[in-house]
Amino acid sequence: MRAMRGTAVAGALPIFDPSRIPMETPAVHPAVGEPRCLPGAFVVVSPHLDDAVFSCAGLLRAHPGSVVITAYTGLPQAADMSTDWDRRCGFPTAADAMAARLAEDRLALAQVGCMGLGLGFVDSQYGEQPPDGQAQLADSLVRVLAGLGADRVALPLGLFHDDHVRVSDAGLDASRACPGLSWFFYEDVPYRKRPGAVQARLAQLRARGVVATPAPLKTDLAGKADAVSAYASQLRGLGGLPDAGAQAESYWRVAGGEEPRA
């Protein structure tokens, strides 16, 4: 598999490197003791450095003490490689892109008042994912959630982008190992605007026995536009996100997960 290297990640917490923690122990972050979610807070699982704020800034603002876990925060082995997306965002190399994105994420998460952790996996744009990448993600999530003392977890619904689908599916795998937690989906911005994307994904999940029902979670959209604007490089690549800071956020409660009956 590709390297999972650790540069600093959002919020003042160190990057989480799954390879440094024995499989049988929960995730612990010695540099900061054992961070815990506050009662009533959420853990939002984010594929990339921007997805949680684009999709859930209002939820994070409304629930102090929440934590964002970002899956793809690592560098590829060839850190000087150049991809089309990074060039569109203004960066000549992967190393330049990740350094700037981590800085943007720190600023954005500070504006919504939450902590951040990075799992250190490598974005699919930098090369093929390992065959067991989803299983590794699920295992890492289970151990980090145990260390945080999470009660409520919000996963990406898993729209359009392969990384989003992979993180969503890994989160569902983790949910089966953590049945005592409350699990939710959030609709991925900007992909939720693709015609039929949300309905198609919900139908796909339902065929797998995963039932999702609308969840009217409390949000606070004041200041979301400023937090979104912190991701200047990604907005450049996307051509902007019109009205992203004012759009209502959409959430679904997760139930089921068992195999559908024949």
Side-chain angles (χ1 to χ4, degrees), residues 79-253:
D80 60 348
M81 71 185 299
S82 178
T83 66
D84 177 67
W85 176 254
D86 284 346
R87 289 191 298 272
R88 286 168 57 186
C89 294
F91 304 116
T93 69
D96 293 317
M98 289 308 300
R101 295 192 70 181
L102 287 161
E104 291 173 346
D105 199 54
R106 282 191 290 270
L107 177 59
L109 294 189
Q111 291 186 12
V112 298
C114 71
M115 298 180 292
L117 292 169
L119 297 184
F121 291 92
V122 178
D123 190 321
S124 63
Q125 71 165 320
Y126 298 128
E128 294 185 2
Q129 297 293 304
D132 59 346
Q134 180 175 316
Q136 290 185 38
L137 271 171
D139 179 71
S140 296
L141 284 172
V142 168
R143 288 180 285 137
V144 172
L145 290 171
L148 291 173
D151 294 319
R152 299 190 286 181
V153 185
L155 304 171
L157 184 55
L159 304 179
F160 179 69
H161 195 299
D162 287 346
D163 285 347
H164 285 237
V165 176
R166 188 177 297 109
V167 170
S168 180
D169 287 344
L172 286 172
D173 291 342
S175 74
R176 298 181 185 102
C178 305
L181 307 185
S182 297
W183 294 82
F184 299 85
F185 288 126
Y186 61 84
E187 293 183 6
D188 319 40
V189 173
Y191 306 124
R192 71 177 189 174
K193 281 197 164 185
R194 290 178 169 265
V198 171
Q199 292 82 359
R201 178 61 170 167
L202 291 172
Q204 180 189 65
L205 292 168
R206 184 66 184 88
R208 289 161 46 185
V210 180
V211 179
T213 56
L217 300 179
K218 180 182 178 182
T219 61
D220 176 5
L221 297 180
K224 179 173 180 176
D226 290 337
V228 168
S229 69
Y231 297 100
S233 68
Q234 304 310 292
L235 295 176
R236 186 181 306 120
L238 290 166
L241 281 177
D243 302 322
Q247 292 175 355
E249 298 171 357
S250 295
Y251 298 94
W252 301 78
R253 183 156 192 143

